[in-house]
Every structure is written in C-alpha cells, then in structure tokens.
C-alpha cells in the first residue's frame, strides 16, 4: 500500500484555471475579491505532508456520519500540471464527512503543531456549507484546538466553505498540543452543512513556532513612518490659523437625507482617525487630505498610564495636567493636515495614581475585589498577579473622577481657544475604559456605583412604596437599596426578577449617562456648535461588553454620532456582512452612524496568521479594495458615514489605499449632493433592546442562542439579496404608523410582550402583512399576542432541523449549522441550549421540524389579516426563506439569494456570495449607471439588469431618473 510521507518543505501551490459554468476569471464591470495566482501564504518546513500524487483513496479513512452522502476523490484539474488534489463532494445537507490518513503521525509529548491545508470552495451555499480541519488525538477524539493560540478560531473563513474564484486558494488551520503521554495523532478534514464541492491541497502538519516565525517574517509591516517632513512650518500654520474663522458642525437634513453639516454646508462623513500617541509624528493625515478627506481625528490621552513612559498621557494626580503639551499634539496633527477640520478623540480614563488618592472611588466586584485595567483593556478577574502595566480603574460612576475630568477638559479647551486651535475643532470623540468604548465589562458594586444606582431608582420609582411594589418586597428604601446578585438563571422573569432587571439596565445605561454628562460639559466649554461622538461595542450581543444603551442615545440632546465596528471576521470577500445597527432609527432621530474600518485589514503588523483571519487582513490590494468597496457601499446606501482607524499610526504608506478612499468619498459626494430619490425597502428588521435584557447575561457563557438570534442572524440575512431596514422596537411602539411602508417585519428579542408591545402587534395585523417572530419571542411573557402557543424543552436536545415534506427552500438552522451541531459534534465539545417550541394548530404550514423529535421548528399561520411566521431555533431564518416570505407578501425582491445588496433609491452596492448569472430588478424606473465603467447598463426585455458575477465580486450602480 502506498503511504503518506513526511517531508521538509511544502509543495508549490496549485493554481486552477478551470471555470465552472457561468463564471469568468476576470471582470471589468466590478471589483474582484481575488485574482488567480495571487498572494500565497509563506512556506514553512513540514513535519508531515499528504503525498496526494502517490496514494489512492484506499490510503485514506473516509467516513460518512449522520446520514451524510457524497464522494471523496483524488483528481487532477486542467491547470494542475498533472498534480492531484482531493475533491470532496457533499451531496446533501445531513451529517458530515471526515477524511484522515489511515496511519497516524507520532508526536512527542508537549509538542505544538499547526495543521494547514489549501482549499478552494465551489457550489457551496453561503453561510450553510462548512469545511474545517481538526486533529484526532491519541485516544481517538477529534480535538478542536489547543489552548495555546488565543487567536483561534480565526473567523468564519476557518469554518465556512467560501465560494472561490477558480485559481485562488485559501488556508484552513487548526492547532494542537500533545499531552504528556505522547502517541500518534492524525490530521482530519471535516466537510459539513449544505451540499458543496471543495478542492483540498498541500495538506501538512507544521511545527507551530517555526510556522509562526515564517509567517511574521512574511508580513509587510515595517513600523510606522515618521512624518515630520509633512508638517508645514509653525509660522505659516499660525498665520493661516489667525486668518481662519471658527468652524462648526452638526448633524442635520439636506437634499432629502441625513448629512453632516460643517459650517452649515453638507459634507460626506468620511473621516480619517489616527491613534498615534507617540511624541513622534506618525499622523498620516496629509496623504488622506490630498485625496479629499478633510475631516480628521487625532487622539489625546489625558490620564497617564502605569508602566508606560510619559508620552502616554498628560494628566496624573501627582503632577496635574500639562495642557500645553496636549495642545502641541493637536498642533502637530493640524500642521500635517493644514486644510482639514478636526475631531479630537479624548481618551478620558483616570490616571494610574487616581486610586491611590481615592481608594473608595475605584471599580469593585461584588465580593469587593478591585477591577484592574490598562490603558485599553480590563484585566480578567481570575488573574492572580497584577502586571505592572495595570492599575485600579476608577468607577465610571465616580463623581470624584468625573469632576476631576471636567476640570482637566476645561483647562485643555481653554488652551485650545487661547492658541486658536479650537477654530478647526468641529467635534469631540469620547473614549475610555475597556477597548476605549466604555463597556460595562463587569458589574460594578463600588460605593459610587451603589450611590448612582440609588439615584437611578429614585428617578424611576420616585417613592419607596413604588420600589417595594416593583421588587415585591416590603420595607425597602431607595436611600439604602442594595444592588442584587445575579443568579444562574438563563432568563429574568417579569415581576419576580425586577430588581435584577433594574440593576442590569442601570449597569448598561450608566456609561452612556456618564458620557451624556461629559458631552454636555464639552459643548458648553467650546461655546460653539460641535458634534460629540460615542463608541459602541458589540451592541445587542451575547457578550457582557455588549451595548444595550442605544435607545437612550436616540433621545440624547448632547451626543450626535455613534461609532461601531463591522464584524471584523466577515469583511473579506465571499461572506455575508450585514449592518447590525438600527440605521433607520438613527436616521429618524437625526443621529449619524459611523462604521469603523480598521486598517489592520491591510498592514498585518505583528499579528499571527489566525489573528489576520480574525481581522480580515487583505493579503493584497485587490482584496482590500473589494472589502473597502463593500463596507463603503453599505454606508453610502444608508446615507451614514465611516472612518478609517489608523490604529497604531503610519498604515497609510501605500498610496493606492489613499486613492481608493478618496475615490469612494468622491462617489459618495456626487450621490449625496443630488436630491434623494424617495424609496424604502419593503422589509424591516425590528430589534427589541429592552426585551433582550431579559437574557441574564452577566455570568453566563452558554448564550450561543443570543448570538444566533440577532448578531449572526442579521449577518446571514445579508445573503438573502433582500434590502431591509433595521429599527429599534421602541420607534415602532411609539409610532406603529412607521410599519405601513413594510410588507414583511421581523421581530427580534421581544422576550416579554407587555401591553405596549401587544398594542403595536395588534395594529400591524392588517393589509396582508407578514410578521416574523424569531426564537425567544414571548419566552418570558405575552406569547399569546403573537398568535402562537409556546413552550420550552430542556437543554441538551439537538437544534438540527429538517425540511417538512414538499419544502424545497433552505431551512437549516444556524444553531445547528455554524455553532452547535456540525462543528462541536465533530469535536466532542457540544452544548445545546434549550429549544423554543411552538404548538401546531389546524391550518398551519410547517416549513421545518426538529430532527430529534419531529416538533415544528418553523410554522406559518394566518392571524387576522396577516401571515405570522414563528422561527423556533436561533438563527432559523435562512436567506432563502426570508426572500421567499418577502416575495409572497408582495414585497420588493431584486433578485435571487446569494448576493448581498445594500441600496437606496439612487445607489446599489452588490456583493456576490454565489457566482454565476444574476438579474437585478431596479426598485424604480431608472437609468442604471455602472459606477466603475462609467457606462449605462441596458436592461433585458423584462426590465432587469443581467450580469455574470464572480465569487466575491462587488459592483456599484447609480440609479438615475429616466
């Protein structure tokens, strides 16, 4: 029998040029996501390699699990020069296929290895076809990964099968550390989920440390460029500043859409933000200014940090604040970008020695332990030895800290005015605490937090008697009320857990209340019209850092702009990357959203290979341009903005990036300067922020269902090809008339259907509308308002679902597909949260049933003059089902699923997840202009725009009146 062989070098990468039907290798109509034969990962000495040219299938252990069907073959392709690749075809959606060598590979105790393989995906269903690699340990278990690489799992591209342009390859990775007993291990390829065809090549095991060393050497980052020569002379800058007038900014309406108004005139909200904190000038603003980006952000850190040199801050309790040095930092940035207006990012953390002066004002856990943090992250609570670069964090409820900060800000703003620098300041960005985003990462039980909680209770309940009624206990007094402990229950219950709901809501809202106070003070200090920006981390997510204070922001009189990040791991071509924020609500309340484009996507810096996957690092300009077009297109379509975050300074050395940014901004400027064409999607996604707080998040790890319920669900729906507005439920509750423009409405996070929500739902049951209720709707109360009877099953039951007889549309649950079943079942690390069940009634249409017991998983029912659909499993609304439901309700569906579309009445950004022919139906009678080519596109006989799309390709169109 021929065998696998151990070798010392990787084979040269294969390049395939065979093209599936309906796909082309290059395009002039759009921006490709990759190019055949492009950048390849560096080669590292291999401990073991699958010698595919000298084996047969009998040398492999091929297994079909849980009903999976398909084939595994060794084949050559037209362009492989006779070399063999492994082709795995999965023909159905059940189970998974594993491929491993028959003979194991001996590994020494304690050895750390990396498994790597090159892969090309074809005929895959976006988001539902999976392919990944694991290690079989000496006992026969499939091991997900060792715990020595904190960057794993590397994002969806390490798990999903992404449709690839022929001739382009990606890497799949896994990591493993051998236990002390040693023994033989085997590398394993797993293909799961929906049907797919995939090619696998260069399957190797590498020494982890050696591979990491080779990887780091391959990165292009060589340190930031010192840009002192880009600053204009001080006297020239002073003369220009003296002749200048005060510039102002606000968010308002112009040309029928939301705009950023500078000096009363609309400007596109495309911004450069630098984090450079060094005394050296790494601020790369000039190259962006030369490409038309005239709003820029420079960072000022107030509090000095522990274990860091003076350059990291300008304020300590011992030395006071050096406002002149801080102002000099602003002057340096303005001298580099001498024709730009500025937003100042205030990093407002208390200095490292604040806790020494005010020990009662620091953040504490429930058992009184101090919460330590650095200048960017909170320290895990279980750390035994505190590193020298961490210090006690001030409670952000502390009025002592807040008043000291206000005094520092007042002195700094006064210096800016005295020096004339304030003339070009049009905004302030608030930054601080965990990840600079004021995340309430741990519950705060400090003295200031308790006092602030009592103030919050007094505002809500006013009297002791009202508090006693709400909490269901007698003898309570607001003046002495203690924060409750959070238990292990998965959900808070209305009435029973009101004290926990109150404290959780308080904790989530408190950082915003603090920022609101500081923002109002800043605006008064400047004495002119400026905008104030806040950050927002992981809104509505299943993580404790997640923001649940968006509704207060909409009502804020002092904070104008919110900044959040796209899903980092989904920015590269070929994955669905929807906007998870309620942009429609922001527009209604005149609040501007800025999407943050983190420039780690191009430079690479010091990152490990998996960290590059996590950050969606583009390996070449073609891939970077593609993801930039897609993210910028989302914001242009929604008339919101974005900034480029130069996290460490100097990442704009590549002039092609600056040109790309400027070209996109110019496109945005042309579109926004014309009157907006009135049009809106016919589908809406409604997030119940208040309802989501019934999930008991503070101490729970097993909240996969929440991640699937909202964050991942919205990402997945981007693959539906159906434009969809995103709203906060509070807007629909206050004004049910907002729903009249929508034929299909999806409700997410409405765990408790109270009287206000019941009234809203009753008002929507007319005009043949389709109402879709995602899993957890009514879980803790009021489920009858939806028209369904609900119950729960205990944890531990599989979430796998099967289509009902006759159902052809994809109904796979994301709980099954991307998290619980396929990936963890194959690795022995399974957790199944309790299932949400709906009772079937006569006349119901069942789309899917749970595989484990046949219980309905997706039900459609007519209630009043509306169709109601219940999705029982988290992430159960597939793109294909959503598209079908919208179409059946009479809504606008521009084409088939598999293409992400972000659009307005005058602009379309299209990103192909599935390659092949596509027809786009404009929402209004239009002349369709291809923005890349500058040519108008002719419709076919049905008025649709035909096109042939490559995998991952992006196209932009402008819709002009006929």
């Amino acid at each position: 029998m021929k065998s696998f062989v151990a070798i010392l070098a990787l084979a040269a990468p294969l390049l395939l040029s065979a093209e599936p039907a309906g796909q082309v290798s290059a395009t002039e109509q759009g921006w490709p996501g990759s190019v055949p034969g492009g950048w390849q990962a560096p080669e590292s000495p291999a401990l073991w390699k699958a010698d595919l040219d000298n084996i047969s299938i009998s040398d492999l252990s091929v297994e079909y699990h849980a009903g999976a069907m398909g084939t595994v073959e060794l084949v050559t392709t037209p362009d492989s020069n006779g070399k063999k690749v492994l082709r795995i075809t999965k023909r159905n959606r059940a189970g998974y296929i594993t491929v491993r060598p028959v003979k194991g590979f001996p590994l020494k105790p304690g050895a750390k290895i990396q498994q790597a393989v090159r892969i090309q995906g074809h005929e895959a269903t976006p988001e539902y076809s999976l392919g990944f690699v694991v290690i079989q340990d000496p006992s026969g278990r499939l091991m997900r990964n060792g715990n020595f690489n904190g960057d794993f799992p590397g994002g969806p591209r390490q798990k999903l099968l992404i449709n690839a342009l022929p001739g382009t390859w990606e890497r799949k990775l896994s990591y493993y550390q051998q236990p002390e007993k040693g023994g033989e291990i085997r590398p394993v390829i797993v293909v799961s989920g929906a049907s797919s065809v995939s090619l696998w090549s260069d399957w190797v095991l590498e020494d982890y440390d050696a591979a990491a060393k080779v990887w780091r050497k391959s990165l292009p980052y060589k340190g930031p460029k010192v840009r002192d020569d880009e600053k204009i002379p001080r006297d020239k800058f002073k003369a220009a500043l003296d002749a200048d007038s005060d510039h102002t900014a606000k968010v308002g309406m112009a040309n029928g859409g939301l705009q950023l108004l500078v000096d009363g005139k609309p400007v596109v909200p495309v911004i450069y933000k630098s984090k450079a904190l060094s005394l050296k000038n790494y601020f790369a603003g000039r190259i962006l200014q030369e490409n038309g980006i005239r709003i820029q952000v420079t960072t000022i850190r107030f509090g000095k940090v522990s274990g860091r040199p003076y350059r990291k801050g300008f304020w300590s309790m011992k030395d006071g604040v050096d406002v002149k040095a801080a102002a000099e930092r602003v002057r340096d940035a303005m001298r580099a970008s001498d024709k730009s207006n500025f937003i100042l990012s205030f990093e407002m953390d208390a200095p490292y020695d604040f806790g020494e002066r005010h020990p009662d004002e620091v953040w504490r856990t429930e058992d009184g332990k101090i919460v330590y943090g650095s200048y960017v992250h909170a320290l895990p609570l279980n750390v035994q030895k505190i590193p020298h670069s961490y210090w006690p964090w001030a409670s952000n409820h502390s009025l002592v800290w807040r008043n000291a900060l206000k005094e520092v800000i007042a002195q700094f703003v006064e210096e800016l005015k005295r020096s004339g620098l304030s003339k070009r300041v049009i905004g302030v960005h608030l930054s601080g605490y965990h990840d600079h985003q004021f995340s309430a990462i741990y519950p705060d039980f400090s003295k200031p937090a308790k006092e602030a909680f009592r103030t919050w209770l007094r505002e809500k309940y006013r009297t002791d008697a009202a508090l006693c009624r709400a909490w269901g206990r007698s003898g309570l007094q607001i003046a002495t009320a203690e924060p409750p402990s959070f238990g292990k229950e998965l959900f808070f219950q209305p009435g029973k857990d009101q004290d926990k709901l109150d404290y959780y809501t308080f904790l989530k809202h408190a950082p915003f209340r603090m920022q609101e106070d500081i923002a109002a003070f800043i605006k008064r200090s400047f004495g002119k019209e400026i905008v104030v920006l806040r950050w927002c981390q992981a809104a509505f997510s299943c993580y404790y850092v997640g923001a649940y204070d968006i509704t207060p922001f909409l009502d804020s009189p002092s904070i104008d702009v919110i900044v959040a990040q796209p899903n980092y791991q989904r920015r590269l071509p070929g994955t669905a990357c929807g906007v998870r924020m309620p942009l429609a609500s922001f527009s209604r309340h005149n609040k501007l959203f800025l999407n943050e484009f983190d420039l780690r996507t191009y430079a690479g810096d010091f990152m490990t290979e998996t960290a590059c996957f996590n950050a969606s690092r583009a390996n070449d300009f073609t891939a970077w341009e593609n993801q930039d077009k897609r993210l910028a297109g989302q914001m242009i379509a929604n008339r919101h903005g974005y900034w480029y975050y130069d996290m460490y300074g100097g990442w704009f050395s590549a002039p092609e990036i600056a040109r790309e940014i400027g070209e996109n901004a110019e496109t945005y400027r042309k579109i926004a300067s014309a009157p907006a064409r009135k049009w809106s999607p016919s589908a809406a996604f409604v997030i119940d922020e208040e309802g989501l707080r019934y999930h008991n998040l503070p101490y729970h790890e097993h909240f996969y269902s929440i991640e699937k319920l909202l964050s991942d669900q919205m990402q997945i729906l981007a693959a539906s090809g159906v434009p969809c507005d995103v709203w906060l439920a509070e807007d629909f509750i206050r004004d049910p008339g907002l729903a009249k423009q929508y034929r299909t409405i999806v409700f997410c996070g409405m765990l408790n259907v109270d009287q206000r929500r019941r009234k809203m739902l009753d008002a929507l049951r007319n005009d043949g509308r389709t109402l879709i209720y995602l899993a957890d709707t009514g879980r803790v109360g009021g489920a009858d308002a939806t028209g369904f009877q609900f119950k729960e099953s205990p944890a531990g039951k599989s979430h796998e679902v099967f289509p009902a007889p006759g159902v052809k549309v994809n109904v796979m649950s994301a709980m099954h597909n991307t998290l619980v079943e396929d990936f963890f079942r194959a690795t022995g690390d399974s957790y199944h949260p309790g299932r949400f069940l709906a009772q079937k009634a006569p006349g119901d249409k069942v789309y899917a049933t749970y595989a484990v017991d046949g219980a309905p998983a997706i039900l459609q029912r007519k209630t009043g003059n509306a169709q109601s659909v219940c999705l029982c499993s988290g992430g159960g609304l597939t793109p294909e089902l959503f598209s079908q439901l919208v179409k059946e309700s009479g809504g606008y569906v521009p084409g088939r699923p598999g293409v992400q579309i972000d659009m307005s009445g005058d602009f379309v950004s299209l990103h192909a997840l599935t390659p092949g022919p596509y027809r786009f139906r404009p929402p209004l009678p239009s002349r369709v202009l291809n923005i890349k080519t500058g040519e108008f596109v002719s419709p076919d006989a049905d008025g649709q725009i035909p096109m042939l799309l490559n995998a991952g390709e992006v196209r932009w169109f402008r819709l002009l009146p006929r």
Side-chain angles (χ1 to χ4, degrees), residues 145-159:
N145 273 278
N147 59 8
F148 60 87
N149 186 336
D151 292 322
F152 182 77
R157 302 184 88 83
Q158 291 301 308
K159 190 166 30 176

Side-chain angles (χ1 to χ4, degrees), residues 57-353:
I57 289 298
S58 63
D59 296 308
L60 298 170
S61 175
V62 178
E63 299 176 9
Y64 300 86
H65 305 263
M69 295 186 295
T71 57
V72 178
E73 308 162 278
L74 285 166
V75 301
T76 58
T77 67
D79 290 338
S80 64
N81 297 321
K83 296 184 66 174
K84 291 182 180 179
V85 298
L86 193 63
R87 180 167 66 197
I88 303 177
T89 302
K90 191 169 187 294
R91 292 202 175 95
N92 64 339
R93 45 93 65 215
Y96 58 98
I97 303 171
T98 56
V99 181
R100 68 196 97 192
V102 171
K103 185 178 179 180
F105 176 78
L107 196 62
K108 295 178 181 180
K112 295 188 295 185
I113 62 169
Q114 171 176 287
Q115 179 180 190
V117 63
R118 298 178 194 265
I119 181 175
Q120 216 179 93
H122 298 293
E123 300 179 38
T125 300
E127 306 299 327
Y128 293 90
S129 298
L130 288 82
F132 49 93
V133 288
V134 296
I135 294 290
Q136 180 181 322
D137 74 359
S139 69
R141 294 178 303 170
L142 295 180
M143 303 300 292
R144 182 157 56 102
N145 273 278
N147 59 8
F148 60 87
N149 186 336
D151 292 322
F152 182 77
R157 302 184 88 83
Q158 291 301 308
K159 190 166 30 176
L160 298 178
L161 274 174
I162 308 298
N163 286 309
L165 188 69
T168 62
W169 293 82
E170 288 194 320
R171 293 240 296 183
K172 299 277 190 185
L173 303 168
S174 65
Y175 304 95
Y176 173 77
Q177 185 165 16
Q178 183 78 314
E180 289 304 314
K181 62 182 180 181
E184 288 191 342
I185 58 95
R186 286 198 288 174
V188 184
I189 292 173
V190 183
V191 174
S192 182
S195 60
S196 63
V197 176
S198 52
L199 305 178
W200 305 73
S201 175
D202 297 298
W203 187 11
V204 300
L205 295 179
E206 303 168 327
D207 176 82
Y208 173 77
D209 292 327
K213 186 176 181 180
V214 171
W215 172 261
R216 287 191 175 94
K217 283 186 176 179
S218 75
L219 298 176
Y221 184 73
K222 296 180 175 61
K225 176 185 176 182
V226 177
R227 298 178 178 274
D228 283 322
D229 60 342
E230 296 181 359
K231 296 186 292 188
I232 67 171
R234 295 179 69 91
D235 56 347
K236 184 177 179 181
F237 174 71
K238 184 179 185 305
L241 202 60
D242 290 343
D244 209 351
S245 57
D246 253 338
H247 297 282
T248 63
K250 68 176 182 179
V251 176
M253 298 295 293
N255 294 325
L258 193 68
Q259 301 262 5
L260 178 62
L261 305 176
V262 175
D263 298 330
K265 299 177 182 179
V267 299
V268 294
V270 180
I271 299 169
Y272 164 64
K273 180 186 188 298
S274 173
K275 167 125 177 98
L277 288 171
S278 171
L279 291 178
K280 294 181 179 179
N281 181 33
Y282 297 147
F283 187 78
R286 178 162 295 277
I287 190 171
L288 274 299
Q289 177 179 271
E290 290 171 350
N291 283 274
I293 308 304
R294 300 296 178 87
I295 301 176
Q296 305 197 357
V297 182
T298 190
T299 300
I300 301 297
R301 177 165 188 84
F302 290 135
K304 292 182 182 179
V305 302
S306 175
R308 299 276 177 168
Y310 168 79
R311 64 185 176 85
K312 284 292 185 180
F314 297 100
W315 171 36
S316 72
M317 304 307 293
K318 176 183 177 182
D319 301 324
V321 59
D322 188 347
V323 294
K324 291 188 180 297
E328 188 62 26
R329 176 72 54 74
V330 176
R331 183 179 286 104
D332 277 348
M334 289 184 175
R335 286 173 60 198
S337 297
D338 58 309
K339 295 178 174 59
S340 298
N341 287 316
F342 276 77
I343 295 168
L344 304 183
S345 183
F346 286 0
E347 291 191 357
M348 304 189 301
D349 304 87
Y352 72 94
D353 55 356

Side-chain angles (χ1 to χ4, degrees), residues 73 139 143 154 188 194 196 253 256 314 488 501 518 552 585 611 679 697 716 719 783 788 954:
E73 308 162 278
S139 69
M143 303 300 292
V188 184
S196 63
M253 298 295 293
F314 297 100
K488 297 296 184 181
L501 272 168
I518 297 296
S585 287
W679 173 82
L697 287 179
I716 291 169
F788 293 95
V954 171

Side-chain angles (χ1 to χ4, degrees), residues 620-676:
D620 52 43
F621 177 69
T622 298
W624 190 89
E625 181 184 37
N626 176 280
Q627 64 173 300
D628 186 52
K629 280 287 190 294
R630 175 162 58 141
L631 293 175
Q634 287 180 330
M635 294 300 102
I636 296 172
N638 287 281
R639 290 296 197 277
H640 285 275
Y642 49 99
W643 74 19
Y644 292 91
Y645 191 12
D646 194 1
M647 187 169 288
Y648 295 110
W651 283 7
F652 283 94
S653 297
E656 66 269 22
I657 288 184
R659 286 196 298 271
E660 157 73 7
I661 292 170
E663 289 170 2
N664 289 351
E666 182 59 29
T667 296
Y668 193 172
R669 191 173 292 111
K670 289 178 180 177
I671 293 170
S673 62

Side-chain angles (χ1 to χ4, degrees), residues 319-478:
D319 301 324
V321 59
D322 188 347
V323 294
K324 291 188 180 297
E328 188 62 26
R329 176 72 54 74
V330 176
R331 183 179 286 104
D332 277 348
M334 289 184 175
R335 286 173 60 198
S337 297
D338 58 309
K339 295 178 174 59
S340 298
N341 287 316
F342 276 77
I343 295 168
L344 304 183
S345 183
F346 286 0
E347 291 191 357
M348 304 189 301
D349 304 87
Y352 72 94
D353 55 356
F354 176 86
E356 298 173 7
R357 295 277 188 95
H358 304 285
D360 289 340
E361 302 295 317
V362 300
W363 195 329
R364 293 183 184 270
T365 62
E366 187 172 7
D367 57 3
K369 292 181 180 178
I370 294 174
V371 172
Y372 287 83
S374 68
Y375 68 99
V376 62
H377 288 134
L379 194 67
L381 297 178
N382 59 357
V383 173
Q384 298 299 314
K385 184 177 180 181
I386 308 301
H388 74 285
S389 57
Y390 287 75
W391 64 93
W393 264 4
S395 167
N396 55 38
H397 306 277
S398 170
L399 296 182
V400 175
W401 163 72
R402 196 181 303 180
N403 290 333
L405 175 63
K406 287 180 179 178
E407 179 58 31
V408 168
I409 290 173
Q411 293 180 44
F412 179 57
V413 173
E414 187 59 34
E415 176 63 21
L416 293 177
K417 290 180 177 179
R418 186 199 63 78
S419 60
L421 297 171
S422 66
K423 291 180 178 181
R424 294 188 179 176
V425 175
I426 61 170
V428 170
H429 169 236
L430 308 178
S431 176
Y433 287 85
H434 185 74
D435 208 37
H436 300 308
Q437 301 189 54
F438 295 102
S439 302
I441 188 169
Y442 306 123
D444 189 352
F445 290 86
S446 65
K447 179 181 177 182
K450 292 179 180 181
E451 291 173 350
F453 181 48
R454 290 161 188 156
T455 299
W456 186 89
L457 290 174
R458 187 171 292 108
E459 292 173 357
K460 179 175 182 178
Y461 292 111
R462 299 188 179 276
T463 68
D464 294 341
L467 177 65
C468 291
R469 287 193 298 271
W471 285 16
R473 300 199 297 272
S474 61
L476 294 172
Q477 293 181 321
I478 293 175

Side-chain angles (χ1 to χ4, degrees), residues 647-864:
M647 187 169 288
Y648 295 110
W651 283 7
F652 283 94
S653 297
E656 66 269 22
I657 288 184
R659 286 196 298 271
E660 157 73 7
I661 292 170
E663 289 170 2
N664 289 351
E666 182 59 29
T667 296
Y668 193 172
R669 191 173 292 111
K670 289 178 180 177
I671 293 170
S673 62
R677 300 184 74 194
K678 295 299 181 182
W679 173 82
S680 69
S682 51
F685 195 101
V686 180
I687 303 169
D688 190 347
E689 180 180 42
E690 181 179 329
L692 283 167
R693 289 198 297 270
Y694 282 88
H695 286 281
N696 180 12
L697 287 179
Y699 298 125
H700 280 284
E701 298 177 358
H702 297 306
F703 264 118
Y704 305 135
S705 58
I706 308 177
E707 192 73 357
K708 298 300 154 194
L709 177 70
L710 177 60
S711 296
D712 284 7
Q713 178 70 88
M714 294 184 71
Q715 299 297 316
I716 291 169
L717 286 187
S720 69
V722 178
C724 185
D725 281 340
V726 182
W727 289 88
L728 281 181
E730 188 63 26
D731 280 322
F732 272 38
I733 294 169
R734 293 175 183 177
D735 183 5
L738 290 174
K740 291 182 178 179
Q741 60 191 312
Y742 302 109
R743 305 300 307 161
T744 304
I745 304 173
V746 183
F747 292 100
C748 176
M750 197 177 294
L751 274 74
N752 183 34
V753 186
D754 58 11
Q755 290 301 317
R756 298 174 72 230
R757 286 158 178 77
R758 184 183 296 268
K759 182 178 179 181
M760 173 193 66
L761 294 179
D762 289 343
L764 296 180
R765 290 194 187 95
N766 54 46
D767 299 332
R769 188 177 288 112
T770 296
L771 305 180
I772 301 175
Y773 302 105
L774 298 190
D776 288 357
T777 303
R779 180 185 284 269
V780 300
D784 61 303
T786 66
F788 293 95
Q789 295 296 318
F790 295 115
K791 63 179 180 178
E792 283 186 69
S793 70
K797 295 273 190 175
S798 168
H799 283 248
E800 185 174 9
V801 301
F802 286 148
V807 173
K808 303 298 183 183
V809 67
N810 174 28
V811 293
M812 295 181 72
S813 166
M815 286 286 288
H816 155 73
N817 189 56
T818 64
L819 185 63
V820 178
E821 278 293 323
D822 283 310
F823 190 67
F824 289 112
R825 180 176 57 191
T827 61
D829 186 13
S830 178
Y831 172 74
H832 303 289
R835 296 176 304 147
F836 199 42
L837 303 175
Q839 185 175 337
K840 183 178 182 296
D844 286 355
K845 178 177 180 179
V846 178
Y847 282 95
T849 58
Y850 284 113
V852 69
D853 55 13
I858 304 176
L859 283 172
Q860 185 177 44
R861 175 178 301 169
K862 187 169 184 178
T863 53

